[in-house]
Amino acid sequence: MLRKTEWQHCLQVFEEMFPDAHCELVHQNPFELLIATLLSAQATDVHVNKVTAELFQKYRTPEDYIRVSLEELENDIRSIGLYRNKAKNIRALCEMLITEYNGILPEDRDELTKFPGVGRKTANVVVSNAFGIPALAVDTHVERVSKRLGMCRWKDNVTQVEEKLMRWTPREEWTNTHHRMIFFGRYHCKAQNPNCPECPLLDLCREGKKRMRAK
């Protein structure tokens, strides 16, 4: 397992490798980011952006989503995985937003998780990127990198990973660290064929050392 001082070194490397890491989901406002993040579950940001390029032209407000039939909304997001369940959640979310929040998206993470289809990760993405509130969302890339490096145990659940990352990472760096770890996992430490031979963290990485020995 990594020591805290080693984790600080990892944070420096993430920043050096991906100083411009950012949210790659295209959006113009907090509401669009919420919809895009909800759609991104088990889908790539690239594909979500292709869908939302047209979706956000047609649907600009919560009222727009509930004005059409469920079948029409399903058809508009059909190319995205789990589209039926996501369409149902989007409509329910919009109805709740209108009736209980006067159409104004709350800036509180716990409030956001009350919406259908919005889990802790999605809420963290929204509050950190749309409202500038420090948060460390744990997606598949962040979880994979944390466990490969030995920052967390393989058996840790997503909440345990998030809590450990927040304890060992300065609060003001939570959001940037989230983006940098995603870029590190998406473009360098990939799920398949991670670039271990050229990794500047190989000397600290338990998974990388194991893979290199296997070669």
Side-chain angles (χ1 to χ4, degrees):
M1 298 292 289
L2 285 184
R3 297 188 298 272
K4 190 171 183 178
T5 54
E6 293 174 326
W7 177 244
Q8 299 306 312
H9 174 65
C10 291
L11 294 178
Q12 293 175 359
V13 171
F14 295 152
E15 181 177 8
E16 291 168 1
M17 291 181 69
F18 301 102
D20 300 317
H22 59 279
C23 177
E24 293 191 302
L25 289 171
V26 177
H27 62 281
Q28 299 297 322
N29 54 61
F31 177 64
E32 286 188 355
L33 178 59
L34 177 62
I35 298 299
T37 307
L38 190 152
L39 291 174
S40 71
Q42 298 186 36
T44 66
D45 287 1
V46 171
H47 185 57
V48 170
N49 287 337
K50 289 180 180 179
V51 172
T52 57
E54 295 185 9
L55 191 75
F56 291 161
Q57 291 298 312
K58 180 176 179 179
Y59 304 92
R60 297 180 181 274
T61 67
E63 289 81 2
D64 291 337
Y65 284 96
I66 60 177
R67 193 171 290 129
V68 302
S69 67
L70 178 60
E71 291 73 18
E72 183 174 345
L73 179 56
E74 287 178 350
N75 189 61
D76 288 335
I77 63 171
R78 184 176 295 273
S79 65
I80 289 181
L82 307 175
Y83 71 92
R84 286 194 177 91
N85 192 49
K86 290 176 181 178
K88 187 186 304 181
N89 283 331
I90 289 172
R91 277 179 58 87
L93 177 159
C94 289
E95 290 176 353
M96 182 175 173
L97 184 58
I98 293 168
T99 58
E100 298 185 28
Y101 295 89
N102 296 316
I104 301 174
L105 201 64
E107 298 184 14
D108 181 76
R109 182 188 65 186
D110 293 335
E111 285 295 312
L112 287 172
T113 58
K114 295 178 181 179
F115 287 94
V118 179
R120 188 180 181 93
K121 186 212 80 172
T122 296
N124 276 333
V125 169
V126 173
V127 299
S128 60
N129 290 284
F131 301 122
I133 299 171
L136 221 164
V138 177
D139 74 343
T140 182
H141 300 294
V142 174
E143 181 179 11
R144 181 175 68 252
V145 170
S146 299
K147 292 182 176 181
R148 280 182 173 174
L149 283 169
M151 165 62 166
C152 300
R153 301 170 298 178
W154 290 111
K155 65 179 181 179
D156 286 348
N157 60 38
V158 174
T159 302
Q160 290 173 314
V161 172
E162 179 187 337
E163 291 173 346
K164 179 72 174 292
L165 287 171
M166 290 192 299
R167 284 200 307 272
W168 279 22
T169 306
R171 188 174 188 273
E172 65 273 14
E173 286 298 315
W174 285 356
T175 300
N176 285 334
T177 296
H178 159 75
H179 292 312
R180 292 164 186 162
M181 290 184 72
I182 286 178
F183 272 50
F184 186 82
R186 183 176 287 159
Y187 302 115
H188 179 77
C189 188
K190 301 176 182 179
Q192 302 296 327
N193 300 316
N195 191 10
C196 298
E198 298 180 19
C199 185
L201 294 176
L202 180 60
D203 60 325
L204 297 178
C205 182
R206 63 179 180 185
E207 176 70 10
K209 292 176 181 177
K210 178 180 177 181
R211 288 173 177 268
M212 293 301 290
R213 285 197 298 269
K215 290 183 178 181

